[in-house]
Amino acid sequence: MSSGTGSSQESDIRTQSYLPRNAVDTHVHIFDPKLGQYAAERAYTPEDAPLKKLIAFNKSLSADSHYTKLVLVQPSPYKYDCSVMMQCLRMMRDRDIGAFGIAVVDLDTTTDGQLKDMHALGVRGIRLNFQADGKEVSTDKLVATLRQTAERIRYLPGWVIQLFVPGWTWDYLHEIILHLPVKVIADHFGGMLGPTKLPSNLKSTPTSQPGFNSLLSLARNSRVHVKISGLYRMSTDVSSNFEDLQPLVQKFAQEIPDQMIWGSDWPHTGEGHDRVNASLEVKEPFRAVDNLAILERLYQWMGSDVYARMLVKNPSLLYLD
């Protein structure tokens, strides 16, 4: 939907699609080299996106200009050094801004005491990112890391594994995740693609793509939360604000309304496959994204009840103080 003026119905949709006071944006990043330097072995160097810009962005989407809750996700350029995220969690809590974190750690060197310290500051899980560097996924490594992570965090209350993987891997992981001792968040649509990114034989039936039914099954069994985020990663249909994702969103809304959460993915980083052989000396620009238009789309596709559950009820039950 256009972000300009329109009918009264369009205006009503825009009003409803702003973030309500108790909403949770479950996926944002901080990039601030003044607070901490990036890892030498990173896949890319981002533009700066400090905390003050994140707070301004969050406030701009709020229906009443108040801050909503935020979940800081450790971004890949910092690798295992979560010090910037931890500093920002402290600063946000000092300002009474509700904040949680999803960490990325080296489990071979991180102690249980360090994980408990993270928990005290609001960290509620560990992210496993098998997409950021644009390389092929090793299923053996994925499964081993998944099991090791679950075993380490199973005793921390409310902790989850946040998993960023290609969609087809859910078929491979279904039985494993079904019996994990912790729950999983499926990042960015669980890797499910819109028709503009699918091969010709799947374009007319995007819900039949590999992994989709396994992802739904895991969500129905309350083992996985599907994060509705990064629409621009799952579709190339920019001119319509990613209209080709409508069948996926509506299927999720129909089948797993209590397992959907939303994330803005601010500040909208680029694609992993575009970073192969890229120079780390050049800062990668962020995407230009009409976030309110995307929220309008989601409101239209799923309806007010599921939209409210996705923004408020579901993440509030998932991220607990």
Side-chain angles (χ1 to χ4, degrees):
M1 174 174 294
S2 169
S3 59
T5 59
S7 67
S8 58
Q9 182 181 9
E10 290 173 337
S11 298
D12 179 65
I13 290 171
R14 175 172 285 270
T15 299
Q16 295 299 320
S17 61
Y18 275 103
L19 300 180
R21 180 180 287 261
N22 295 317
V24 184
D25 184 343
T26 69
H27 199 109
V28 296
H29 303 296
I30 295 290
F31 297 105
D32 192 343
K34 293 180 181 178
L35 292 181
Q37 294 302 306
Y38 303 124
E41 67 275 19
R42 65 192 180 276
Y44 69 105
T45 302
E47 293 283 353
D48 294 356
L51 179 60
K52 65 179 181 180
K53 288 188 176 181
L54 169 60
I55 291 174
F57 164 76
N58 177 250
K59 191 173 182 181
S60 74
L61 289 184
S62 176
D64 56 7
S65 296
H66 284 78
Y67 308 124
T68 64
K69 291 183 179 180
L70 294 165
V71 180
L72 304 185
V73 177
Q74 172 77 353
S76 60
Y78 286 112
K79 293 290 185 179
Y80 301 130
D81 182 1
C82 294
S83 60
V84 170
M85 183 183 74
M86 304 304 285
Q87 290 178 70
C88 291
L89 285 175
R90 291 188 187 94
M91 289 187 281
M92 293 171 75
R93 294 205 163 197
D94 287 345
R95 296 180 59 175
D96 292 324
I97 300 173
F100 297 95
I102 297 291
V104 176
V105 300
D106 182 348
L107 290 174
D108 293 329
T109 60
T110 302
T111 67
D112 290 341
Q114 288 172 320
L115 293 177
K116 290 178 181 178
D117 290 342
M118 288 183 174
H119 180 85
L121 274 177
V123 174
R124 292 297 180 268
I126 291 179
R127 190 189 199 203
L128 304 180
N129 185 346
F130 284 79
Q131 292 270 52
D133 59 7
K135 299 177 182 177
E136 293 294 324
V137 175
S138 166
T139 52
D140 289 344
K141 181 179 179 181
L142 170 57
V143 170
T145 306
L146 192 62
R147 285 176 167 154
Q148 180 191 18
T149 304
E151 189 60 33
R152 286 296 305 277
I153 70 173
R154 64 185 301 176
Y155 304 107
L156 292 164
W159 278 49
V160 299
I161 295 174
Q162 185 164 305
L163 195 55
F164 188 23
V165 291
W168 60 266
T169 57
W170 299 106
D171 287 337
Y172 189 85
L173 296 172
H174 183 273
E175 292 304 310
I176 296 166
I177 292 177
L178 203 58
H179 299 98
L180 278 184
V182 299
K183 295 181 180 180
V184 170
I185 294 174
D187 256 355
H188 304 319
F189 277 74
M192 297 301 152
L193 303 176
T196 53
K197 280 201 168 186
L198 286 171
S200 57
N201 63 311
L202 291 172
K203 287 185 181 296
S204 62
T205 56
T207 57
S208 67
Q209 63 186 284
F212 190 82
N213 287 332
S214 292
L215 180 61
L216 278 183
S217 172
L218 289 166
R220 289 193 197 101
N221 282 281
S222 299
R223 303 308 305 156
V224 166
H225 280 77
V226 178
K227 185 182 295 178
I228 305 301
S229 61
L231 278 70
Y232 38 80
R233 303 185 189 280
M234 305 299 113
S235 165
T236 60
D237 194 6
V238 179
S239 62
S240 71
N241 286 311
F242 317 106
E243 187 171 7
D244 67 323
L245 292 174
Q246 181 176 355
L248 301 181
V249 172
Q250 291 184 326
K251 188 68 171 177
F252 287 142
Q254 177 186 358
E255 298 286 341
I256 54 167
D258 293 319
Q259 297 300 121
M260 300 167 64
I261 57 178
W262 168 82
S264 66
D265 196 29
W266 188 91
H268 316 302
T269 58
E271 296 282 7
H273 60 74
D274 294 330
R275 295 167 182 157
V276 178
N277 300 322
S279 172
L280 295 180
E281 302 304 315
V282 179
K283 289 187 176 182
E284 179 182 286
F286 300 125
R287 307 171 196 246
V289 175
D290 189 338
N291 291 277
L292 185 55
I294 289 175
L295 286 170
E296 290 173 14
R297 277 293 192 198
L298 297 177
Y299 179 84
Q300 288 177 307
W301 293 342
M302 63 182 62
S304 58
D305 176 63
V306 177
Y307 183 80
R309 285 195 236 181
M310 177 184 71
L311 290 179
V312 180
K313 179 183 175 183
N314 298 344
S316 296
L317 292 173
L318 181 62
Y319 295 98
L320 300 174
D321 290 316

